[in-house]
Amino acid sequence: MSANAHVLAAEDGDGGLFTPGGPGFAPPTTDIFFPPPIVEFGPFAISKYTVLLALTVVVVLGFWFATTSKMKLVPSRWQSVAEMGYLFIRDQVARPTIGKQGDRYVPLLITLFFMILVMNLWGVVPLVGQLPVTANTAVPIVLALIVYVFWNVVGIRKQGGWRYFRDILFMPGVPWPFYIILTPIEVISTLIVRPVTHAVRLFANMFAGHLLLATFAAAGFYMFNPGAPDALLGAVSVVFSGFAFLGFFAFTLLEIVIMSLQAFVFVLLTAVYIGGAVEPAH
Amino acid sequence: MNDRQGSDREPEPKVDAMAIVGTLLAGPLCWGGIGWLADWLTDRATPLFLPIGILLGLGGSIYLVWRRLPKH
């Protein structure tokens, strides 16, 4: 489609689609993920990410404080929303993956889930947000690192350092010469690839989804050109633009689903890793 | 979503699907890398240890994935 637009936009002028000489469609680049710093001091800076991250903390803290500070036996509407969130994480994530000991880790899982959910959803909040915080590599990397340190510490404390690492490095029930080949693979896949994929999965989903939305929006604005020299083509451009915005809204809905799903997947994998550390390998 | 659900249920063995991909990648990467290093150290014109390493690593990975799958 963009090649077609380039052909149609021939020479001079600065209009959109069907205006000869337009600049052609400039798709959004990764620049949209590097908003200019708002305040700079020395090597540090406050950018839109920092502000949204702080807002996330305020929103999540505010939600849990407001809904659970004055709890009643017969819950109010908001208290029951909070309880549903709690039960969802406990019964769908913690207990099925970690088992009876899972309840201990529910606070961590809930914090992670709601933080990531809100950080993701900033991507579809108009005006204030329009930038998922998790599309900044630093955020998923730090979250994955926290989880990585956490499940290793849990494993060492629950099973003892020697037994814990023996189970990771030397899979039980394997003839010993195999360990020469298998142990390096285990080290890489469990201790290196696992945290990396944990972080990259969240980052890449948010990054790609946001870029897709931005492309649809930019295409919609570019193609909207009712003032084209040819009135008929001007009308056609409005129809084209309508399709682009239709796609934008459809993918926004899809994005909201993906944002929730990725928050869930991150937390589910966290629970799977903790579960593997709590229970010795079978 | 009631209270009792899950509490007395044993955790089913969960397989992290990405762990399988991770293991399958880690084997050839690790042993292919060692093979490549061996080729480089012995100054070979045509790689010999690199393909051996990749195959060895892939074999190890597949064995690991197969061993880790829950058996029913």
Side-chain angles (χ1 to χ4, degrees):
Chain A
M1 183 188 288
S2 95
N4 198 14
H6 280 295
V7 172
L8 290 166
E11 273 106 54
D12 64 275
D14 59 349
L17 184 64
F18 297 134
T19 299
F25 177 57
T29 63
T30 48
D31 289 348
I32 59 172
F33 294 100
F34 300 99
I38 301 166
V39 190
E40 267 183 295
F41 37 95
F44 304 104
I46 289 179
S47 72
K48 198 173 178 180
Y49 288 115
T50 329
V51 176
L52 289 177
L53 193 58
L55 271 177
T56 307
V57 176
V58 171
V59 168
V60 174
L61 265 183
F63 173 76
W64 286 102
F65 190 76
T67 50
T68 57
S69 58
K70 283 185 227 114
M71 293 224 282
K72 295 186 191 77
L73 197 59
V74 180
S76 66
R77 184 178 301 163
W78 284 106
Q79 188 187 329
S80 54
V81 171
E83 283 177 2
M84 271 169 65
Y86 175 85
L87 288 177
F88 171 69
I89 297 294
R90 195 191 68 183
D91 292 339
Q92 306 299 316
V93 179
R95 285 185 178 174
T97 50
I98 309 178
K100 290 193 178 89
Q101 307 180 64
D103 289 11
R104 288 190 60 190
Y105 306 104
V106 171
L108 173 80
L109 299 175
I110 284 187
T111 313
L112 275 176
F113 178 74
F114 281 90
M115 282 291 290
I116 294 172
L117 181 65
V118 174
M119 285 195 286
N120 289 351
L121 285 175
W122 284 122
V124 292
V125 174
L127 303 174
V128 196
Q130 283 176 326
L131 187 66
V133 185
T134 36
N136 183 328
T137 36
V139 177
I141 287 175
V142 169
L143 289 175
L145 263 182
I146 293 172
V147 171
Y148 178 66
V149 171
F150 186 81
W151 61 258
N152 275 301
V153 170
V154 165
I156 291 168
R157 284 180 57 179
K158 286 269 172 188
Q159 303 183 34
W162 160 241
R163 227 184 94 196
Y164 174 63
F165 283 110
R166 188 196 63 195
D167 274 358
I168 289 184
L169 302 182
F170 305 104
M171 167 171 277
V174 172
W176 73 264
F178 280 33
Y179 288 136
I180 301 167
I181 297 170
L182 298 184
T183 300
I185 301 176
E186 290 274 48
V187 170
I188 291 183
S189 74
T190 308
L191 299 179
I192 298 171
V193 173
R194 192 190 259 189
V196 170
T197 53
H198 200 200
V200 166
R201 184 182 301 106
L202 178 60
F203 158 74
N205 271 291
M206 290 305 112
F207 182 87
H210 190 59
L211 202 56
L212 184 72
L213 289 189
T215 307
F216 268 102
F221 279 116
Y222 170 74
M223 289 195 281
F224 185 77
N225 189 24
D230 188 325
L232 180 67
L233 287 181
V236 170
S237 82
V238 175
V239 176
F240 279 6
S241 163
F243 276 110
F245 279 117
L246 204 69
F248 175 72
F249 288 119
F251 275 104
T252 301
L253 294 180
L254 182 74
E255 228 5 65
I256 292 173
V257 174
I258 291 175
M259 284 164 172
S260 319
L261 194 70
Q262 285 305 317
F264 176 69
V265 165
F266 192 94
V267 168
L268 184 71
L269 284 175
T270 303
V272 169
Y273 299 157
I274 294 173
V278 168
E279 295 282 327
H282 22 264
Chain B
M1 265 204 220
N2 61 35
D3 255 18
R4 282 184 50 76
Q5 188 199 10
S7 55
D8 42 7
R9 186 176 50 175
E10 276 299 296
E12 324 155 14
K14 281 260 180 209
V15 182
D16 168 13
M18 279 306 286
I20 294 176
V21 179
T23 307
L24 286 178
L25 278 176
L29 268 178
C30 171
W31 283 100
I34 291 171
W36 177 84
L37 207 67
D39 277 340
W40 181 70
L41 285 175
T42 52
D43 241 348
R44 302 189 61 84
T46 50
L48 168 69
F49 296 112
L50 173 70
I52 293 178
I54 290 175
L55 289 176
L56 199 71
L58 195 60
S61 288
I62 292 170
Y63 179 73
L64 272 177
V65 169
W66 172 71
R67 282 302 305 241
R68 243 197 244 124
L69 282 177
K71 306 200 169 45
H72 292 294

